[in-house]
């Protein structure tokens, strides 16, 4: 990236110090947006640059807490000077941008070094801590639930390396793509970890990333994906043009749609033509009308359950309630929106309280409990029954599959159909084998970096899943891969025999968690089942 020809038009290149050496830089007179922006070198994060409205309090008063964009550079290098015009422009439209690399007066004014992909996470951790710290400029000025990550070239690979981070709301892969290569620790194996809408941007067939981006877009089938291509810009894009050129406009349109809910911006990507973008072609797939996705909190006593409710246009046939697996979040259930849109079903995805370290409901996993999750799912079913729903479908993945199966057995008259996706029906048995006696259970157990309290294991110690689940007598679909190393296929076969009306679909080669093509196969089975 450092050898690309960038033209810099910096109207004010003054390095100003405030307090303990914090440096400030103004580019393009602060951008074309109404909130004039500056670049800041912050104490405690000196190896990053923050692009932000100069007056954060005014920005907050104007539009509320600001969404956050994390940026990774071309070459995976520690300089963002080649992108400062675009990043300033984004910030001037009401965003805070945190970019890897110490501030430079100009590109190549110092030695550059490569960075690790984990730098994006480190920067994000720092900024979110500032958003919670009284006295910080960013205290309550950052919308911690609206976070994007973007990167150019190798920086795009760094973004994909971080794709599984549940805090991310959307991704932008700029002049980058994995194809069949590996870079910055990312590869095509990173694509199934994407859980948010994702935008690819390329500069035509002369862009070295073009073919890789094309393959990625073809392979992604489980989340919404858009691909914007501008043949005239090549691999270098328009980052160095005044206000960042077309690339900055496109990025702002995407962020305004994905993070601010400006549905008029959706037409840029879904309208079938690149209106206002001369020479561009833009295509998209797997998008639902996100005007029809609304946040919905449901109460279970004093427990607050956060979720999102998707409602397709026209008359609905029922509602599908999606229960995530161990340490999952509602993000993973969003992949079902597209399926339910085709079938005319509402779809509710949610976070089990204490079910994940990233749960918006409650992230204290020391209080995780299968029985509490059953209670929460019952409360959700009862809520939608109170809203007049008569056809309710439960879809549960992994641990969520166990909870859904147990709940269906308890509420057999309320649950119309049950879908179990690589269901972890073995959880009680597996933990009983590890802790044969109650006295063997420690106060805290850690699994996959998630800490759980003693209660989780005590409650299920004497539970026999297979004595319970067969009480549900409605139609059941079970989907599992034959290479699942977490859940034995024999458990799903045993469950199929216990149910009165069950079909088991085995996906060859699939493990615990489906890749895009495997999810598409699951979706096809789900469509047949619900029809």
């Amino acid at each position: 990236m450092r050898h690309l020809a960038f033209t810099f038009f910096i109207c004010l290149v003054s390095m100003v110090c405030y307090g303990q050496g914090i440096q400030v830089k103004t580019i393009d007179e602060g951008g074309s947006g109404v909130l004039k922006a500056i670049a800041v070198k912050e104490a405690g994060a000196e190896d990053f640059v923050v692009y932000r409205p100069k007056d954060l309090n005014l920005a907050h008063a104007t539009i509320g807490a600001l969404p956050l964009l994390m940026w990774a550079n071309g070459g995976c290098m520690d300089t963002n000077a080649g992108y400062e015009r675009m990043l300033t422009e984004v910030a001037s439209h009401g965003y805070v941008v945190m970019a890897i690399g110490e501030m430079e007066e100009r590109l190549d004014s110092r030695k550059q070094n490569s960075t690790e992909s984990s730098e994006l996470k480190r920067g994000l951790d720092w900024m979110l801590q500032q958003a919670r710290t009284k006295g910080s400029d960013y205290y309550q000025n950052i919308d911690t639930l609206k976070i994007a990550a973007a990167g150019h070239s190798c920086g795009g690979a760094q973004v994909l390396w971080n794709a599984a981070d549940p805090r991310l709301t959307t991704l932008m892969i700029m002049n980058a793509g994995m194809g069949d290569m590996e870079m910055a620790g990312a590869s095509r194996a990173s694509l199934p970890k994407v859980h948010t809408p994702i935008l690819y941007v390329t500069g035509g067939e002369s862009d070295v990333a073009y073919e890789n981006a094309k393959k990625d877009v073809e392979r992604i089938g489980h989340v919404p994906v858009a691909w914007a291509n501008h043949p005239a810009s090549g691999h270098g894009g328009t980052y160095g043009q005044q206000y960042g050129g077309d690339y900055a406009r496109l990025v702002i349109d995407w962020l305004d749609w994905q993070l601010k809910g400006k549905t008029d911006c959706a037409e840029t990507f879904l309208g079938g033509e690149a209106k206002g973008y001369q020479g561009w072609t833009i295509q998209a797939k797997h998008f639902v009308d996100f005007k029809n996705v609304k946040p919905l909190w449901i109460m279970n006593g004093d427990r607050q359950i956060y979720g999102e409710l998707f409602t397709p246009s026209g008359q609905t046939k029922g509602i599908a309630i999606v229960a995530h697996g161990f340490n999952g979040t509602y993000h993973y259930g969003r992949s079902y929106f597209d399926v339910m849109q085709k079938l005319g079903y509402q779809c509710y995805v949610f976070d089990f309280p204490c079910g994940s370290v990233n749960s918006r409901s409650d992230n204290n996993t020391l209080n995780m409990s299968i029985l509490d999750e059953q209670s929460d799912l019952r409360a959700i079913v009862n809520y939608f029954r109170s809203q007049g729903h008569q056809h309710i479908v439960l879809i549960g993945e992994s641990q969520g599959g166990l909870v859904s199966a147990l709940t269906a057995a308890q509420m057999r008259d309320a649950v119309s159909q049950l879908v179990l996706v690589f269901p972890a029906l073995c959880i009680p048995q597996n933990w009983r084998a590890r802790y044969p006696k109650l006295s063997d259970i420690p106060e805290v157990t850690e699994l996959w970096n998630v800490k759980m309290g003693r209660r989780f294991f005590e409650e299920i110690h004497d539970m026999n899943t297979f004595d319970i689940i067969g009480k549900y007598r409605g139609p059941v679909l079970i989907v599992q891969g034959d290479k699942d190393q977490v859940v034995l296929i024999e458990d799903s076969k045993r469950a199929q025999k216990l149910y009165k009306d069950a079909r088991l679909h085995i996906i060859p080669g699939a493990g615990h968690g489906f890749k895009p093509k495997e999810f598409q196969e699951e979706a096809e089975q789900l469509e047949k089942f619900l029809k």
Side-chain angles (χ1 to χ4, degrees), residues 27-39 51-55 59 62-63 66 84-97 243-244 248 252 256 260 262:
I27 301 101
D28 282 347
E29 298 182 328
S32 71
V34 296
L35 300 169
K36 295 306 178 183
I38 55 175
Y51 297 83
R52 41 161 274 198
K54 184 176 182 179
D55 189 335
T62 303
I63 64 173
L66 305 181
E84 60 187 6
R85 306 189 82 172
M86 182 184 80
L87 301 181
T88 295
E89 181 67 10
V90 171
S92 76
H93 286 263
Y95 292 90
V96 171
V97 182
Y243 305 135
I252 292 168
D256 280 355
K260 293 183 178 178
K262 295 184 178 180

Side-chain angles (χ1 to χ4, degrees), residues 173-214:
I173 312 301
M174 315 291 290
N175 307 101
M178 301 319 303
D180 297 315
M181 68 181 292
E182 295 184 11
M183 181 184 290
S187 68
R188 64 180 294 179
S190 303
L191 300 183
K193 299 176 183 178
V194 177
H195 59 87
T196 68
I198 182 171
L199 171 67
Y200 280 80
V201 180
T202 53
E205 295 187 17
S206 66
D207 185 343
V208 295
Y210 179 87
E211 289 297 330
N212 285 344
K214 180 180 179 181

Side-chain angles (χ1 to χ4, degrees), residues 317-322 340 343 345 377 381 390-396 404-405 407-409 411-420 472-478 499 501-503 525-531:
K317 300 176 182 177
I319 185 166
I321 301 169
V322 183
M340 296 305 158
L343 294 170
Y345 277 74
L377 189 52
V381 171
Q390 297 181 342
H391 193 97
I392 296 176
V393 180
L394 297 187
I395 302 175
S404 296
T407 304
M411 307 184 76
R412 45 190 176 271
D413 294 332
V415 176
S416 305
Q417 291 170 279
L418 174 64
V419 181
L420 305 177
Y472 177 70
R473 310 307 286 168
V476 181
L477 170 65
I478 307 172
Y499 286 118
D501 177 14
R503 65 184 76 173
Q525 294 300 314
L526 184 56
E527 289 179 28
K528 293 177 183 178
F529 179 67
L530 295 184
K531 284 181 178 179

Side-chain angles (χ1 to χ4, degrees), residues 131-158:
R132 296 189 292 266
T133 302
K134 290 184 178 180
S136 167
D137 285 348
Y138 304 100
Y139 178 63
Q140 296 186 341
N141 283 325
I142 302 292
D143 190 333
T144 59
L145 300 178
K146 294 179 180 178
I147 303 171
H152 175 233
S153 194
C154 183
Q158 290 184 310

Side-chain angles (χ1 to χ4, degrees), residues 234-484:
H235 191 63
T238 66
Y239 307 105
Q241 295 180 12
Q242 186 178 21
Y243 305 135
D246 272 2
Y247 275 46
R249 289 201 303 123
L250 191 78
V251 165
I252 292 168
D253 275 352
W254 180 265
L255 293 176
D256 280 355
W257 178 28
Q258 296 297 318
L259 300 187
K260 293 183 178 178
K262 295 184 178 180
T263 53
D264 55 322
C265 294
E267 287 301 308
T268 300
F269 306 94
L270 305 182
E273 57 180 300
K275 292 182 178 179
Y277 289 87
Q278 186 174 1
W280 287 78
T281 58
I282 301 179
Q283 55 184 276
K285 63 179 183 179
H286 302 310
F287 280 90
V288 299
D289 189 342
F290 275 84
K291 294 194 300 289
N292 296 335
V293 179
K294 305 295 183 185
L296 175 62
W297 290 88
I298 293 176
M299 299 301 298
N300 180 20
D302 60 356
R303 292 166 66 84
Q304 301 181 68
I305 304 167
Y306 176 79
E308 290 186 349
L309 177 64
F310 166 70
T311 304
S313 301
Q315 187 174 359
T316 58
K317 300 176 182 177
I319 185 166
I321 301 169
V322 183
H324 64 74
F326 176 80
N327 201 35
T329 64
Y330 74 93
H331 288 99
Y332 296 93
R334 279 179 151 200
S335 56
Y336 289 93
F337 287 172
D338 191 37
V339 182
M340 296 305 158
Q341 177 174 249
K342 296 175 184 176
L343 294 170
Y345 277 74
Q346 285 187 294
C347 187
Y348 184 67
V349 299
F350 64 97
D351 285 355
F352 279 118
C354 308
S356 167
V357 295
N358 296 298
S359 171
R360 287 187 61 175
S361 302
D362 186 334
N363 65 359
N364 183 5
T365 58
L366 288 172
N367 291 329
M368 188 186 297
S369 160
I370 295 293
L371 299 189
D372 280 352
E373 292 188 1
Q374 281 182 256
S375 175
D376 293 331
L377 189 52
R378 286 199 305 270
I380 293 170
V381 171
N382 284 330
Y383 170 83
F384 286 111
R385 290 182 74 188
S386 72
Q387 301 300 305
H389 285 277
Q390 297 181 342
H391 193 97
I392 296 176
V393 180
L394 297 187
I395 302 175
E397 295 186 344
S398 195
Q399 182 169 299
L402 170 63
V403 173
S404 296
L406 295 172
T407 304
Q410 291 177 320
M411 307 184 76
R412 45 190 176 271
D413 294 332
V415 176
S416 305
Q417 291 170 279
L418 174 64
V419 181
L420 305 177
V421 184
F422 39 85
L425 304 175
C426 56
I427 287 176
Q429 177 183 336
N430 287 355
W431 286 111
R432 190 161 52 245
R434 180 167 176 176
Y435 301 133
K437 298 181 294 184
L438 289 174
S439 58
D440 295 331
I441 303 173
E443 290 302 315
V444 177
T445 296
E446 187 168 321
L447 175 66
W448 300 329
N449 297 318
V450 177
K451 294 181 179 180
M452 297 178 288
R454 177 183 177 88
R455 177 187 163 209
F456 180 94
F457 309 98
E458 287 181 330
E459 290 178 341
I460 62 173
H461 188 269
D462 297 323
M463 179 185 292
N464 190 325
T465 304
F466 298 99
D467 286 346
I468 301 172
I469 62 173
K471 295 177 182 177
Y472 177 70
R473 310 307 286 168
V476 181
L477 170 65
I478 307 172
V479 185
Q480 187 173 351
D482 63 1
K483 300 300 183 184
D484 195 326

